Amino acid sequence: MKEIIRKKMAASPVLRWTVLGLVSFTMLTGYVIADVMAPLKTLLEQQLGWDSSDYGLFTSGYGWLNIFLLMLIFGGMILDKKGVRYAGVLSVGLMIGGTLLKYWAITADLGGAVSSFSIGGHSLFSVKSQVLYATLGFAVFGVGVEMIGITANKAVVKWFRGRSLALALGINVAAGRIGTAIAMFGSLPLARMTGNPGAPLAVCLLLLCIGLLSFLVFCVLDRREDRETETLPGTEKEEEFKLSDIVKIAKIKAFWYITILCVLFYSAVFPFLKYATELMIQKFHVSPGFAGAIPALLPFGNILLTPLFGSIYDRRGHGATIMLIGSALLVCVYTLFAIPALTANWMAVVLVLVLGAALSLVPSAMWPSVTKIVPYRMLGTSYSMIFWIQNWGLAFVPLLIGVVLKNHCIAGTVVIDGVVSTRYDYTLPMLIFAGFGALSIVFALLLRREDARKGYGLEKPNDELQTNSTTKTQIP
Ligand SMILES: N[C@@H](Cc1c[nH]cn1)C(=O)NCC(=O)O
């Protein structure tokens, strides 16, 4: 065990909250683009001649570079080595570059060109060039947006550790949810109004440039603060991140518990949203025109509740218990979704709202808790390792649910909007999500036990820890 002296918590509250506003706004602009194409699936098929597999390929592009080329992990290491300013500007640059490529692909007339890939004369696969370029653009964007996620978290920790940290991180998550809500509600009307599926992307690009400006203003404030803090008496420079720190992180049991809890929990929520509209139509008999509005309630609930639960964690503690309650709610929600006899509309609304509460509880406690388990200098890499494993779940669980639906859940046909469609029985997928929830409970319990053993302080108020740890913190 080693002790280092932390930088003094300088900065006025006004400056701290200004910094949070600037960084969170940049996050918001990135998260709008992450979801902006999701409501346009039908429009892409109608206007650009895409089919479902083109759309599936394009959507999956988000995780390609992050997962397979380990870009997320490299992003975390760059963040720890070079700092939040460098990593943030790089992230926004990648998001702008990726979105420009995607916008060009969607709006250019490529004359129906097809790109084919073959090895030794054997054709592997061919894909519409437009889809390929749009997917590559989304893949580059995916690296940037995941990196801004970890960078924003680390920047918030840098400015808020010990002072309303969970509230600040909760507001940052809420900013991301506002971005998702804007995309879910604004994208389709704008594309329809202009008759151009590229129009929402053009607006997003403009928004992202404002996000870049916002981050640049943050950089000026952050650099000034760094200079002032360095000159404070009694302030020692923090140890630099080393590659060997990855091994140190990997040896922390609680880190793995929180990582596994993260992948299980998020795999039970975000992939559910990809099927939620169909579930509303087929199980709860909601009209197709209104069905998307029920799952869209989810981010709205989060916008208020995540900061609220964060603030409770700051003042009262119980971080591990909050994660436990959030996981338990998942089991309740999906078990009720699985019961075939429950088909009332209001029930679907209530269950989505409770799911929203779960999606507020767990992130509000999870991201601040990581700061109690790993030292600040390793935080970028730790967040990136957690996000990397989480991205596997986010990429493959929707696929798993699709395969399960296709092979085990077909229950005849149903007429939707005058079109005969396959009818699915969603009981099994809902039980799978409930299973993820049950496993999340196990890992939340393990985390709580480990906390009791090692004394990370997950059950203690963050603000109380501040008085003990503003100057000194224990480093494993
Ligand atoms: N790694 C991200 C994944 C994501 C993408 N869009 C929404 N979430 C993440 O976990 N961000 C934190 C969060 O709670 O959304």
Side-chain angles (χ1 to χ4, degrees):
M1 298 290 272
K2 196 173 174 187
E3 257 189 7
I4 64 160
I5 298 175
R6 260 193 187 179
K7 276 187 208 170
K8 287 229 172 81
M9 197 47 228
S12 71
V14 175
L15 191 54
R16 272 206 308 278
W17 292 103
T18 306
V19 157
L20 178 69
L22 292 166
V23 171
S24 296
F25 178 73
T26 310
M27 264 266 293
L28 182 157
T29 60
Y31 271 52
V32 182
I33 304 182
D35 292 309
V36 78
M37 300 306 278
L40 305 186
K41 179 175 181 284
T42 312
L43 208 69
L44 292 171
E45 292 176 11
Q46 289 167 344
Q47 294 203 1
L48 304 182
W50 289 24
D51 58 27
S52 277
S53 58
D54 291 333
Y55 180 77
L57 181 76
F58 165 72
T59 307
S60 72
Y62 179 90
W64 284 2
L65 303 179
N66 281 327
I67 295 177
F68 300 117
L69 295 188
L70 303 181
M71 285 302 178
L72 228 169
I73 306 277
F74 291 130
M77 285 173 4
I78 291 171
L79 171 59
D80 283 335
K81 273 255 166 232
K82 298 277 200 179
V84 289
R85 298 189 291 269
Y86 183 96
V89 173
L90 179 62
S91 318
V92 184
L94 286 167
M95 288 197 282
I96 291 177
T99 307
L100 272 173
L101 177 57
K102 190 164 87 172
Y103 177 73
W104 170 78
I106 300 277
T107 53
D109 182 7
L110 298 180
V114 170
S115 302
S116 300
F117 297 86
S118 49
I119 294 181
H122 293 283
S123 172
L124 285 180
F125 71 96
S126 46
V127 57
K128 295 178 187 92
S129 301
Q130 183 179 55
V131 175
L132 178 70
Y133 295 133
T135 305
L136 287 176
F138 199 31
V140 174
F141 167 82
V143 176
V145 75
E146 286 291 314
M147 199 168 158
I148 197 67
I150 55 175
T151 305
N153 268 0
K154 187 161 179 176
V156 174
V157 175
K158 180 176 178 183
W159 281 76
F160 280 81
R161 56 184 156 177
R163 288 210 211 280
S164 304
L165 175 62
L167 170 64
L169 284 171
I171 290 173
N172 191 50
V173 170
R177 300 285 185 266
I178 294 174
T180 304
I182 292 173
M184 280 171 123
F185 278 92
S187 179
L188 190 56
L190 182 63
R192 276 211 176 127
M193 200 172 72
T194 54
N196 174 10
L201 271 181
V203 174
C204 284
L205 264 171
L206 188 70
L207 207 60
L208 198 50
C209 291
I210 304 175
L212 176 61
L213 285 180
S214 175
F215 198 83
L216 290 174
V217 176
F218 158 76
C219 289
V220 173
L221 298 178
D222 189 65
R223 199 163 69 167
R224 206 179 62 188
E225 189 63 17
D226 271 359
R227 284 201 183 129
E228 280 175 16
T229 324
E230 272 160 20
T231 56
L232 284 175
T235 304
E236 283 181 18
K237 218 172 161 20
E238 289 211 10
E239 254 183 83
E240 289 222 338
F241 174 82
K242 296 183 280 306
L243 215 56
S244 59
D245 284 342
I246 293 185
V247 180
K248 284 190 187 149
I249 297 168
K251 281 186 181 160
I252 305 172
K253 234 187 211 175
F255 169 80
W256 287 110
Y257 292 153
I258 217 164
T259 301
I260 298 170
L261 173 59
C262 175
V263 64
L264 288 166
F265 180 84
Y266 278 85
S267 294
V269 180
F270 286 113
F272 163 78
L273 286 181
K274 305 227 183 282
Y275 293 92
T277 305
E278 191 169 79
L279 175 81
M280 297 303 146
I281 297 170
Q282 299 212 358
K283 183 173 194 291
F284 294 96
H285 312 296
V286 181
S287 70
F290 186 65
I294 298 179
L297 292 172
L298 198 81
F300 280 105
N302 294 161
I303 293 165
L304 290 177
L305 290 180
T306 316
L308 175 73
F309 293 137
S311 166
I312 292 172
Y313 186 15
D314 281 333
R315 287 179 291 112
R316 306 249 155 115
H318 308 293
T321 308
I322 289 175
M323 288 185 257
L324 186 61
I325 297 170
S327 306
L329 285 183
L330 278 192
V331 179
C332 300
V333 167
Y334 287 119
T335 307
L336 290 170
F337 265 136
I339 297 174
L342 294 182
T343 58
N345 281 192
W346 64 266
M347 188 75 188
V349 174
V350 170
L351 291 180
V352 167
L353 291 177
V354 179
L355 188 62
L359 183 62
S360 303
L361 282 162
V362 174
S364 72
M366 180 175 280
W367 305 123
S369 293
V370 178
T371 67
K372 293 176 172 177
I373 292 171
V374 293
Y376 176 76
R377 71 167 197 279
M378 304 176 188
L379 211 48
T381 309
S382 306
Y383 278 135
S384 72
M385 286 163 75
I386 297 174
F387 272 23
W388 183 69
I389 292 171
Q390 176 213 45
N391 267 248
W392 280 90
L394 295 182
F396 289 100
V397 171
L399 210 66
L400 168 78
I401 299 297
V403 171
V404 168
L405 277 172
K406 191 175 158 194
N407 294 318
H408 303 286
C409 305
I410 293 179
T413 55
V414 61
V415 178
I416 298 171
D417 270 348
V419 180
V420 178
S421 318
T422 309
R423 195 169 87 76
Y424 294 103
D425 175 357
Y426 266 91
T427 307
L428 189 53
M430 293 304 113
L431 288 177
I432 293 175
F433 287 135
F436 285 139
L439 286 171
S440 302
I441 292 179
V442 172
F443 282 92
L445 285 170
L446 286 171
L447 182 64
R448 211 163 68 155
R449 195 186 60 177
E450 186 68 4
D451 175 48
R453 278 187 186 155
K454 297 273 169 68
Y456 292 116
L458 301 188
E459 292 292 274
K460 293 202 175 127
N462 299 320
D463 288 350
E464 186 184 289
L465 284 180
Q466 178 258 325
T467 35
N468 303 330
S469 68
T470 316
T471 48
K472 288 190 173 187
T473 187
Q474 291 284 312
I475 305 293

